[in-house]
């Protein structure tokens, strides 16, 4: 099973974005994004869709398992 928070962090860091930049691009408050990590809470599907849109990917692409795993 995919670690959603780790995957968000991986996508964010691969783009060189801060949590603030991800918040700006997704339209979500930075406090919401940082609270997911602090409280180990998985984002809701609507919020995850906003995150995926910011990354320029679909939900399907986000959950696609790496073939090398």
């Amino acid at each position: 099973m995919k670690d959603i928070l780790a995957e968000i962090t991986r996508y964010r860091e691969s783009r060189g974005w801060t949590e603030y930049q991800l918040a700006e691009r997704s339209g979500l408050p930075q406090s919401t994004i940082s609270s997911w990590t602090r409280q180990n809470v998985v984002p809701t599907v609507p919020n995850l869709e906003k995150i995926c849109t910011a990354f320029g990917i679909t939900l399907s692409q986000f959950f696609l398992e790496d073939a090398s795993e």
Side-chain angles (χ1 to χ4, degrees):
M1 181 148 191
K2 188 171 288 273
D3 182 337
I4 293 172
L5 296 176
E7 194 70 1
I8 290 171
T9 300
R10 186 183 70 76
Y11 272 103
R12 181 178 58 78
E13 290 177 348
S14 73
R15 286 160 173 76
W17 295 355
T18 63
E19 284 184 355
Y20 178 77
Q21 289 168 315
L22 176 57
E24 282 187 322
R25 289 171 168 85
S26 66
L28 294 168
Q30 181 183 3
S31 59
T32 298
I33 294 171
S34 63
S35 73
W36 296 335
T37 304
R38 282 194 327 273
Q39 298 172 9
N40 199 30
V41 174
V42 176
T44 63
V45 171
N47 282 347
L48 189 53
E49 286 177 326
K50 290 177 183 180
I51 295 292
C52 288
T53 298
F55 290 143
I57 60 172
T58 65
L59 274 175
S60 296
Q61 291 170 312
F62 182 85
F63 284 106
L64 186 66
E65 292 294 331
D66 186 354
S68 66
E69 291 184 286

